[in-house]
């Protein structure tokens, strides 16, 4: 799994899906799909491990820039303006890298499934600023991140809005563990459940 791949997927989420969606429909929220991730409003766009899907078009990701992919899908590449301060660091002229993309997308899909089991009422959102899928329940954030400068691989987190004390809380924003240490949806769900119980202590 490479930082370049993670940055590319993050860039696709931000520049090709969320930016055009925000300009047309006023929301930056994205959703996880079984094969990748997609917009929740117009324009109807989705990213899979090897392609950008726009209507009946499948545009191969490999070797293309964000701008070229956006143009092929009939949108303008660019982040949502004035909505958030953290960004992917990707530029519309950068070339997309897809090595090991399937592993990152699988982590997000596992997280989405575990979040839906945790709460039937909260709809998981894939946020383009941090490239993580999450929900908030009773002032606690739960989610799966594709990785970042703090943890350089996909990880599961529980982040109470109010700091907690104890050995479970191992990072400044709460608790986090690499998803590979938890195995499958059951393992991720169990970590969320433990976090929910610890947050009430």
């Amino acid at each position: 799994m490479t930082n370049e791949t993670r940055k590319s997927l993050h860039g696709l989420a931000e520049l090709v899906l969320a930016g055009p969606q925000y300009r047309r429909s006023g929301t930056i929220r994205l959703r996880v799909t079984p094969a990748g991730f997609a917009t929740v409003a117009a324009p109807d766009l989705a990213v899979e491990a090897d392609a950008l899907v726009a209507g009946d078009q499948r545009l191969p990701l490999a070797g293309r820039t964000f701008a070229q992919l956006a143009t092929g899908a009939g949108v303008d590449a660019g982040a949502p303006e004035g909505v958030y301060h953290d960004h992917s660091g990707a530029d519309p002229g950068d070339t997309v890298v897809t090595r090991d993309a399937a592993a990152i997308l699988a982590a997000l899909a596992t997280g989405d499934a575990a979040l839906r089991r945790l709460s039937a009422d909260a709809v998981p959102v894939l946020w383009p600023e941090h490239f993580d899928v999450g929900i908030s329940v009773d002032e606690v954030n739960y989610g799966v991140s594709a990785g970042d400068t703090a943890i350089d691989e996909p990880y599961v987190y529980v982040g109470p809005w109010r700091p907690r004390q104890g050995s479970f809380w191992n990072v400044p924003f709460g608790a986090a563990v690499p998803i590979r240490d938890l195995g499958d949806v059951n393992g991720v769900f169990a970590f969320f459940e433990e976090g929910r119980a610890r947050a009430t202590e």
Side-chain angles (χ1 to χ4, degrees), residues 13-187:
E14 179 178 56
L15 303 178
V16 182
L17 273 64
Q21 179 183 252
Y22 181 70
R23 290 186 284 277
R24 187 177 304 182
S25 296
T27 180
I28 64 169
R29 294 174 178 236
L30 303 175
R31 61 188 173 89
V32 172
T33 68
F37 53 91
T39 54
V40 299
D44 186 10
L45 301 170
V47 169
E48 298 181 356
D50 63 351
L52 173 66
V53 181
D56 57 1
Q57 292 189 90
R58 285 184 62 86
L59 306 170
L61 298 175
R64 299 194 184 190
T65 67
F66 298 105
Q68 288 171 333
L69 289 164
T71 297
V75 297
D76 295 324
E81 293 294 333
V83 183
Y84 53 81
H85 299 293
D86 294 330
H87 293 278
S88 65
D91 182 85
D94 293 343
T95 300
V96 173
V97 177
T98 58
R99 290 187 302 274
D100 300 321
I104 296 174
L105 298 178
L108 294 175
T110 297
D112 185 82
L115 290 167
R116 291 178 186 277
R117 189 185 300 181
L118 184 70
S119 174
D121 299 322
V123 177
V125 174
L126 180 66
W127 295 103
E129 62 267 48
H130 297 133
F131 200 45
D132 66 328
V133 59
I135 61 174
S136 294
V137 179
D138 296 330
E139 297 190 351
V140 180
N141 298 328
Y142 302 88
V144 170
S145 168
D148 51 35
T149 55
I151 302 176
D152 193 25
E153 61 179 299
Y155 65 87
V156 185
Y157 66 83
V158 179
W161 296 7
R162 197 169 40 80
R164 302 298 203 273
Q165 300 296 320
S167 59
F168 180 77
W169 309 107
N170 63 342
V171 292
F173 60 83
V177 64
I179 196 169
R180 62 179 167 80
D181 292 349
L182 299 175
D184 57 9
V185 173
N186 291 329

